[in-house]
Amino acid sequence: MSRHIKKTAVIGSGVMGASIAAHLTNAGIPVLLLDIVPKEKEAGEASASVATAEKKRARKHLADTAVKKLLKQKPAPLASKKNVDLIETGNVEDDLHRLKEVDWIIEVIVENLGAKKELFAKIDRVRKEGSIVSSNTSGISIKAMAEERSGDFKAHFLGTHFFNPPRYLKLLEVIPLEETKQEVVEFVRSFAEQSLGKGVVEAKDTPNFIANRIGTYGLLVTVHEMLRGGYSVGEVDSVTGTLIGRPKSATFRTLDVVGLDTFLHVAKNVHDVATGDEQRMFDPPGFMQEMATKGWIGAKAGQGFFQKKDGVIYELNPETMEYQERKKLKAPSIEKTKTLTSKNQKIQTVVFANDRAGELLWKIISPVLLYTAEKTYEIANDVLAVDEAMRWGFGWSMGPYELWDALGFRQTVEKMKKENRSIPSWVEDLYNNGKEGFYEDGQFLHEGQYTPIRQHEKYLSLHHLVKTNTVLKNTGASLIDVGDDVALLKFTSPNNSIGLDVIQMINKSIVEVEKNFKGLVIGNESKNFCVGANLMMMLMEAQDDNFFELDLVVKQFQQATANIRYANVPVVTAPFQMTLGGGAEISLPAASIQASHETYMGLVEVGVGLIPGGGGNKELYLRNIERFGETPAQLQKAVRETFETIATAKVSTSAAEARENGFMNHRDGIVMNDLFVNEEAKQKVISLYNSGYKAPVKKKIPVTGEAGYATLMLGAEMMKWGGYASEHDLKIAKKLAFVLSGGRLKEGTLVDEQYLLDLEREAFLSLIGEPKSQQRMQYMLTKGKPLRN
């Protein structure tokens, strides 16, 4: 049957339920959010004499309050505050019958089997036949929940474990019953991947499923080894983060963010059903129980393993239960990793080192590898599912099996054997058969054979294409043939920053593509799309008074963005994550932007004492003219919006907000799954080409002139008078206002693009020569944040 999710229901409006509802609206899906009828005191003590409408509001008070909180939460669960209009609220007494209106019902109530079974009995009586029902439990048996339910309920029931926060964490664990129809499982997978942007892993119905089972075990191993080895909380966190491919929050900072209360609950799920050594491992040390009793449960309580006082971060001493100065672990192996570039070499160097860092890391990593191998086929279908779960759910750069291979599979097993560790038989067989690891040439080990890694049809992987299909390349970028007569330009510079090499490749690529391809995608698979221009290079040139060279670079960058706009074939950008400064300037002139849902776009040059220099002022102004119109009043609005966006270095917090801020328009698309961005951009190129794409015609641009300049400067002066802007901020604002208004011209004057680009370049070069701007640039390079001077 053909399925569609036109409307959903979420039952339970706590933090998790409301956040799931929010993310459904991010995908444009209407949600009915239900909760229990509150006690009178929680509902504002609505009495019998209150009007009917007010009584009705009081009975859905919990869901209404949850929706209001969504607008204030940080990080924001809503991609746009407008999405809140897609949430309708109610309660489970008055509105349960409305579940027959929806296609997917998600239960997110208290983690209590009895309460869930009681709710599902009621749902079974009112849901429409064929609608999907799922539980967002983090560990309760899916089978136990569905006992005594109807056959149609069981056929359409499964666990859907979203990780918190649902908008930002990619993992969705899907846990079917034996009775769940396979087409339901496949539909949920497909819908979650494409519409919700999820990485979906099928898990078996065991306590904590996959990611929490492995992740909780790993965290507890780390705590036990910290106590046994006499390490401090800070020392452990200093080596269990990015050094070994884990998030910066490492171990204890992660626990503070998650909440110790939540962690202890998850650990108890396994402890209550495990036996022997596993049960003992899932019994947290006494000091953690004492922390929970004291309410020291982490960030939401203001203290946990760490506490911040007067801007200084202190760590908890588990023995004294007092906070002390935070320490970092120092060891020769850590220093040695700083000279290495290979990720695998770094991990091998520190894990196998004969020092305090190596001893700790071996003792916390090797048990996790063995435990994972022991439990894999109990909790998952294959090793790939385990690795994906840990990458998507816990933010590991490598899953356990990928880490095992990175350490050296055979070397690691041999070390385990010398220590008389118990190695699962299937891993022993792999070793005895002479295999080198769990992965080989894009395949993973499954049932004794290497099987191709599943690749979604919408995922355009560049990893192998770079090796075989590179058309042009230099030190900053590569042009790759990605099939179907489409090329992709991939930046390869540090942080994908824009220097002269990247600019040259943009220009060369457009010439090549106009000759031999249907169009061009500008995209990549890095951490961020592009964080802007090469700030270090610009600062060095400015400090050496090389303004001739800087003028040349800015001219070439302006020419590159003009070439993107006026190419004879469609150029489509595929931005994601940080798309700042020059990254935005490359995107704005494109024939279309196909942006990841999580795209943070902004012209942020003011933060380093500059204004955009690659045509960004003109391009954002053009988009705002298109957005508002060309009458005098509309032009004033367009220039004011452009000025405010650039002068305040406004960065969108999502692609949806980028559209609201004028960075994107009706020609542009939002892609929910970041893995699909390059393929969607490629398909957009093909679509534009097949529809007879023609480059835009150059035309004159109306400017607001001196009248517009005066209006903009009035606002800037008021910011200065109010203490919101420094003298140097005002100087930058004057330069920006002069560029955007077109200088000393009459309002409504038509100018060509080059005129505005020349004004922009002159302003940029004058600002980069300012000592205070250079101070801002230096501060950003050394501190990673803007300087107010």
Side-chain angles (χ1 to χ4, degrees):
M1 65 179 284
S2 177
R3 285 190 177 275
H4 301 281
I5 301 292
K6 296 179 181 176
K7 187 174 182 180
T8 58
V10 174
I11 305 179
S13 66
V15 172
M16 194 64 188
S19 297
I20 290 172
H23 193 55
L24 288 164
T25 70
N26 292 338
I29 309 294
V31 182
L32 177 64
L33 180 63
L34 305 180
D35 211 317
I36 60 173
V37 176
K39 297 173 184 176
E40 280 195 342
K41 61 181 179 180
E42 294 172 333
E45 300 195 5
S47 66
S49 62
V50 203
T52 304
E54 194 167 330
K55 283 172 66 177
K56 187 174 181 181
R57 279 196 298 273
R59 289 174 66 80
K60 62 189 185 79
H61 173 76
L62 291 178
D64 283 344
T65 301
V67 171
K68 290 175 185 175
K69 288 179 179 177
L70 287 175
L71 297 169
K72 299 176 182 177
Q73 265 178 253
K74 291 187 178 181
L78 294 162
S80 166
K81 289 186 177 180
K82 295 177 182 178
N83 292 348
V84 79
D85 295 337
L86 289 172
I87 302 178
E88 188 178 358
T89 57
N91 69 73
V92 291
E93 291 182 21
D94 302 332
D95 303 296
L96 204 67
H97 66 282
R98 295 192 58 195
L99 295 182
K100 65 178 179 289
E101 303 170 10
V102 309
D103 307 298
W104 183 12
I105 302 160
I106 306 173
E107 170 272 309
V108 201
I109 67 168
V110 62
E111 286 285 77
N112 177 283
L113 179 59
K116 291 178 186 290
K117 291 183 72 171
E118 183 180 344
L119 175 62
F120 286 132
K122 293 176 181 177
I123 291 172
D124 202 1
R125 290 194 287 269
V126 297
R127 61 180 278 275
K128 67 181 179 185
E129 188 174 338
S131 63
I132 296 168
V133 185
S134 68
S135 172
N136 186 62
T137 180
S138 60
I140 294 178
S141 168
I142 304 300
K143 181 179 180 181
M145 287 186 214
E147 287 174 351
E148 305 166 21
R149 298 282 57 79
S150 67
D152 187 74
F153 184 102
K154 289 181 178 179
H156 297 87
F157 181 69
L158 67 170
T160 48
H161 182 208
F162 289 81
F163 269 58
N164 192 27
R167 173 182 162 185
Y168 299 97
L169 280 186
K170 196 171 184 69
L171 179 63
L172 174 66
E173 291 176 321
V174 170
I175 310 98
L177 297 170
E178 286 184 15
E179 298 94 332
T180 307
K181 289 182 178 179
Q182 188 58 32
E183 62 95 359
V184 171
V185 178
E186 290 305 316
F187 173 78
V188 170
R189 174 189 285 273
S190 175
F191 176 80
E193 287 175 339
Q194 297 189 55
S195 298
L196 302 182
K198 292 296 172 187
V200 180
V201 168
E202 187 174 329
K204 294 183 180 177
D205 191 6
T206 57
N208 289 355
F209 312 127
I210 300 173
N212 276 342
R213 184 70 170 268
I214 303 298
T216 304
Y217 179 86
L219 284 164
L220 284 167
V221 165
T222 303
V223 175
H224 287 299
E225 283 301 329
M226 175 188 74
L227 297 175
R228 191 177 294 123
Y231 297 87
S232 81
V233 164
E235 284 181 322
V236 169
D237 265 19
S238 68
V239 294
T240 56
T242 54
L243 183 66
I244 58 170
R246 306 280 171 82
K248 284 175 68 176
S249 54
T251 301
F252 293 107
R253 178 63 185 142
T254 295
L255 284 171
D256 274 355
V257 171
V258 169
L260 184 60
D261 52 342
T262 301
F263 175 78
L264 293 176
H265 171 78
V266 172
K268 190 175 184 296
N269 284 340
V270 179
H271 179 269
D272 289 351
V273 297
T275 59
D277 290 342
E278 184 180 20
Q279 186 181 59
R280 284 190 288 275
M281 181 55 70
F282 278 90
D283 185 13
F287 86 92
M288 295 176 78
Q289 303 288 359
E290 186 179 345
M291 287 175 67
T293 302
K294 289 176 178 288
W296 299 356
I297 56 174
K300 57 190 173 186
Q303 67 186 106
F305 293 96
F306 295 99
Q307 184 181 39
K308 192 172 185 179
K309 284 184 180 178
D310 301 323
V312 179
I313 298 174
Y314 297 91
E315 63 176 57
L316 181 70
N317 183 325
E319 293 184 4
T320 65
M321 295 301 285
E322 294 177 351
Y323 289 92
Q324 60 189 36
E325 190 174 330
R326 185 169 54 165
K327 300 176 188 172
K328 285 189 176 182
L329 184 56
K330 296 180 180 178
S333 61
I334 297 173
E335 292 302 312
K336 188 175 180 181
T337 62
K338 295 175 182 177
T339 65
L340 303 172
T341 55
S342 164
K343 180 172 62 175
N344 289 5
Q345 280 184 336
K346 285 186 176 185
I347 290 175
Q348 288 171 7
T349 296
V350 72
V351 172
F352 293 121
N354 186 24
D355 59 23
R356 286 191 80 221
E359 288 169 10
L360 174 64
L361 290 174
W362 174 253
K363 286 178 179 176
I364 64 177
I365 287 174
S366 58
V368 172
L369 300 182
L370 291 170
Y371 182 77
T372 301
E374 179 188 334
K375 296 294 177 183
T376 287
Y377 293 101
E378 176 186 325
I379 64 177
N381 292 326
D382 51 54
V383 301
L384 181 62
V386 172
D387 279 349
E388 288 177 333
M390 297 314 297
R391 281 192 275 110
W392 293 335
F394 275 71
W396 294 10
S397 65
M398 293 181 283
Y401 291 106
E402 292 165 321
L403 175 59
W404 205 330
D405 280 2
L407 287 169
F409 169 70
R410 301 191 68 80
Q411 176 185 1
T412 307
V413 171
E414 285 159 10
K415 185 172 173 64
M416 291 171 175
K417 284 174 172 286
K418 287 178 182 176
E419 295 173 348
N420 294 317
R421 310 281 283 278
S422 177
I423 298 172
S425 59
W426 71 275
V427 177
E428 188 87 56
D429 290 344
L430 185 67
Y431 177 82
N432 292 336
N433 290 333
K435 300 295 185 184
E436 294 295 329
F438 301 95
Y439 291 88
E440 185 179 275
D441 297 328
Q443 302 183 93
F444 71 98
L445 188 76
H446 184 54
E447 296 179 346
Q449 302 293 324
Y450 286 104
T451 304
I453 292 173
R454 298 182 291 268
Q455 298 287 11
H456 196 284
E457 59 182 11
K458 288 194 172 184
Y459 173 46
L460 175 60
S461 174
L462 305 179
H463 179 67
H464 294 293
L465 289 174
V466 169
K467 299 174 184 176
T468 58
N469 289 26
T470 296
V471 179
L472 299 169
K473 69 179 292 186
N474 67 11
T475 55
S478 298
L479 182 68
I480 308 160
D481 183 343
V482 291
D484 299 316
D485 294 326
V486 177
L488 183 145
L489 180 62
K490 176 182 184 293
F491 299 166
T492 55
S493 55
N495 296 317
N496 290 344
S497 61
I498 299 168
L500 195 55
D501 50 0
V502 171
I503 293 168
Q504 289 169 346
M505 272 301 294
I506 292 173
N507 293 328
K508 286 182 180 179
S509 295
I510 289 173
V511 171
E512 174 67 24
V513 167
E514 285 181 330
K515 288 180 184 176
N516 297 313
F517 293 89
K518 292 179 178 177
L520 175 69
V521 173
I522 301 179
N524 58 74
E525 292 176 325
S526 304
K527 182 180 178 183
N528 296 300
F529 174 72
C530 176
V531 296
N534 187 329
L535 199 59
M536 177 66 80
M537 179 272 290
M538 292 196 304
L539 178 60
M540 289 171 64
E541 295 287 358
Q543 289 175 336
D544 289 343
D545 291 330
N546 290 333
F547 289 98
F548 177 81
E549 288 81 357
L550 277 169
D551 183 54
L552 180 64
V553 171
V554 175
K555 277 181 180 175
Q556 290 194 10
F557 190 20
Q558 290 180 339
Q559 185 59 54
T561 56
N563 288 343
I564 290 171
R565 170 178 274 277
Y566 294 110
N568 291 319
V569 293
V571 178
V572 176
T573 56
F576 57 92
Q577 294 296 320
M578 295 300 178
T579 304
L580 304 177
E585 290 184 286
I586 284 167
S587 297
L588 290 170
S592 176
I593 300 170
Q594 297 298 301
S596 164
H597 179 258
E598 296 303 326
T599 296
Y600 310 108
M601 188 179 289
L603 294 166
V604 295
E605 287 83 354
V606 166
V608 289
L610 305 172
I611 67 167
N617 305 286
K618 178 258 299 181
E619 289 295 339
L620 186 58
Y621 179 50
L622 284 174
R623 281 180 175 251
N624 279 326
I625 291 175
E626 185 179 356
R627 183 180 170 199
F628 297 118
E630 294 190 24
T631 68
Q634 291 167 330
L635 276 182
Q636 287 284 0
K637 188 173 183 181
V639 77
R640 187 174 65 250
E641 286 279 331
T642 308
F643 177 79
E644 288 177 1
T645 298
I646 298 174
T648 59
K650 186 184 291 184
V651 176
S652 66
T653 61
S654 66
E657 198 171 283
R659 182 167 277 157
E660 292 170 12
N661 291 345
F663 291 112
M664 295 173 59
N665 59 29
H666 63 91
R667 294 186 298 277
D668 305 321
I670 297 175
V671 185
M672 289 300 292
N673 196 317
D674 56 349
L675 289 177
F676 302 165
V677 172
N678 288 329
E679 178 62 25
E680 292 285 1
K682 174 184 170 181
Q683 293 306 320
K684 186 67 176 182
V685 165
I686 294 170
S687 172
L688 287 169
Y689 178 87
N690 289 341
S691 62
Y693 179 80
K694 294 285 187 291
V697 177
K698 291 185 179 182
K699 58 182 182 179
K700 301 275 187 177
I701 301 168
V703 295
T704 56
E706 288 186 312
Y709 175 76
T711 303
L712 296 180
M713 284 316 303
L714 177 61
E717 292 280 5
M718 289 179 68
M719 291 284 286
K720 169 75 166 48
W721 294 334
Y724 297 105
S726 68
E727 195 66 49
H728 193 57
D729 291 329
L730 188 62
K731 179 176 283 190
I732 298 166
K734 284 181 178 178
K735 300 281 187 183
L736 177 62
F738 192 81
V739 171
L740 291 174
S741 60
R744 304 190 184 286
L745 299 174
K746 184 180 177 182
E747 184 177 12
T749 301
L750 296 173
V751 301
D752 58 31
E753 288 187 30
Q754 192 57 51
Y755 172 81
L756 290 180
L757 290 174
D758 289 344
L759 289 182
E760 174 185 286
R761 192 176 71 259
E762 289 164 11
F764 179 91
L765 291 170
S766 70
L767 284 169
I768 204 171
E770 290 278 346
K772 287 190 175 181
S773 286
Q774 293 180 14
Q775 287 170 14
R776 290 189 180 192
M777 296 169 74
Q778 185 72 52
Y779 195 84
M780 179 62 74
L781 286 167
T782 55
K783 303 288 187 180
K785 55 186 179 181
L787 170 69
R788 288 294 304 275
N789 62 348

